[in-house]
Amino acid sequence: MSLSVDSARYFIPGYVSQNQLAQPDSSGSDADPVTANVAQDQASVAPPPISGKPLLASNDLRLLMLRGVDQGGVEGYKDILNAFYADPENRNDPVSFLNKLSPDGIALLKQAQSLPAGASINVDSLNKEEALNLILPHSGQVDLNNDGLIANANGGKGFMFPPPNAPQNVKDAWAGATNGLSDSDKFLLSGKFMLSLMSANLHVDENGKATQTEPGDPGWRNVFAEDGYSYQVAIERFKAGNESNKPYNSNEIYERTKKLLAQLDRAFDKHDVA
């Protein structure tokens, strides 16, 4: 593994000194110092989680831009990811890897994950899922305890659809159905699945009192991981809900939702999603 001179500030000096620090090419070449040593390091480099995919997906890059990460920050983030993937043990012990990063490195990760710049993060207190989700890009986020949510380094929980543990055909169907859609349209669709997860953990007693099972509490349900869960059945329920709510929504919202659900339904059918 090699680190660029500019990226060295994202790592503690002791870690940098243990690794090759690439010097500027005197010939004036602008070759990437990370990829320049791929051949010699190939045997020891752990590939990104999904083999053959780029280090950062196009949506990862878009999110970084929206979060104010400039091009220098993107390259620094890539250096952090390359260093992370260079040793398979880092995935087993991401907290130790985070301890190798300088304050600048942690600050860059916070920005990349859209965490408040002033948020105080005690690296040693993070569990494995929280630590991994501080390091990995959006496309690589993990749900290790399979609760249907993404644990963040600030102690919060987030939702993403498809869930990280969803079958690949679900992810492929979603990618096909949402390709070219606006963020608001994607949110409309993913929000319906998020509400189904939340409503599965909402309980109303005979007196009409509502209580909510919280993530981590006994009895929390991740409906997406339950035997017999059907994405196709869920879509049919969303369609029925759209019809029921038609009198209460504008015609624009009704037609938009109807079109998006039909589009998702076709994509799921094409990819044999049950």
Side-chain angles (χ1 to χ4, degrees):
M1 182 192 70
S2 62
L3 301 173
S4 69
V5 172
D6 289 341
S7 73
R9 70 188 183 92
Y10 294 119
F11 302 87
I12 61 173
Y15 179 67
V16 173
S17 67
Q18 296 171 17
N19 296 278
Q20 177 185 357
L21 185 60
Q23 298 300 321
D25 187 343
S26 59
S27 66
S29 169
D30 59 357
D32 184 350
V34 172
T35 57
N37 290 286
V38 165
Q40 72 182 54
D41 291 338
Q42 189 172 18
S44 63
V45 172
I50 303 177
S51 179
K53 294 292 182 71
L55 198 62
L56 292 171
S58 58
N59 192 50
D60 294 329
L61 291 169
R62 186 181 70 87
L63 288 174
L64 290 173
M65 179 186 70
L66 290 174
R67 293 165 180 175
V69 180
D70 61 20
Q71 189 56 41
V74 170
E75 294 307 314
Y77 184 39
K78 287 181 179 179
D79 285 328
I80 290 175
L81 290 176
N82 273 308
F84 175 76
Y85 291 129
D87 184 354
E89 184 56 31
N90 288 332
R91 197 166 181 89
N92 295 325
D93 190 3
V95 170
S96 291
F97 176 77
L98 288 170
N99 279 318
K100 297 170 184 175
L101 298 183
S102 69
D104 281 343
I106 296 296
L108 178 58
L109 290 183
K110 288 198 295 184
Q111 185 179 12
Q113 303 300 348
S114 196
L115 297 177
S120 177
I121 295 176
N122 181 356
V123 168
D124 290 317
S125 71
L126 301 180
N127 63 37
K128 187 176 180 181
E129 183 176 328
E130 292 167 340
L132 284 170
N133 288 333
L134 179 58
I135 299 166
L136 298 171
H138 179 80
S139 62
Q141 298 283 281
V142 298
D143 175 14
L144 298 185
N145 64 357
N146 203 27
D147 65 355
L149 299 170
I150 308 301
N152 301 319
N154 65 351
K157 293 270 192 176
F159 177 82
M160 64 185 296
F161 191 86
N165 300 335
Q168 188 59 45
N169 65 334
V170 173
K171 297 177 181 180
D172 293 341
W174 176 261
T178 59
N179 183 37
L181 291 185
S182 66
D183 285 342
S184 61
D185 282 347
K186 291 178 183 178
F187 182 78
L188 187 152
L189 287 175
S190 63
K192 291 187 176 299
F193 288 98
M194 180 181 70
L195 287 174
S196 68
L197 177 64
M198 295 299 111
S199 63
N201 290 283
L202 181 66
H203 317 283
V204 180
D205 64 20
E206 63 276 9
N207 298 316
K209 181 180 179 181
T211 57
Q212 181 81 40
T213 301
E214 300 294 338
D217 288 348
W220 169 262
R221 293 177 58 197
N222 174 11
V223 293
F224 307 116
E226 293 179 353
D227 290 340
Y229 177 80
S230 170
Y231 291 94
Q232 292 279 20
V233 169
I235 291 176
E236 292 305 314
R237 289 174 179 165
F238 300 156
K239 289 180 179 178
N242 189 47
E243 295 298 329
S244 297
N245 290 325
K246 184 177 180 180
Y248 311 104
N249 287 328
S250 67
N251 189 62
E252 187 274 331
I253 290 294
Y254 167 76
E255 291 294 343
R256 174 187 171 201
T257 303
K258 182 178 179 179
K259 177 182 177 181
L260 290 171
L261 289 173
Q263 187 169 320
L264 187 59
D265 196 4
R266 289 192 298 270
F268 276 18
D269 186 62
K270 177 181 177 181
H271 288 271
D272 298 320
V273 176

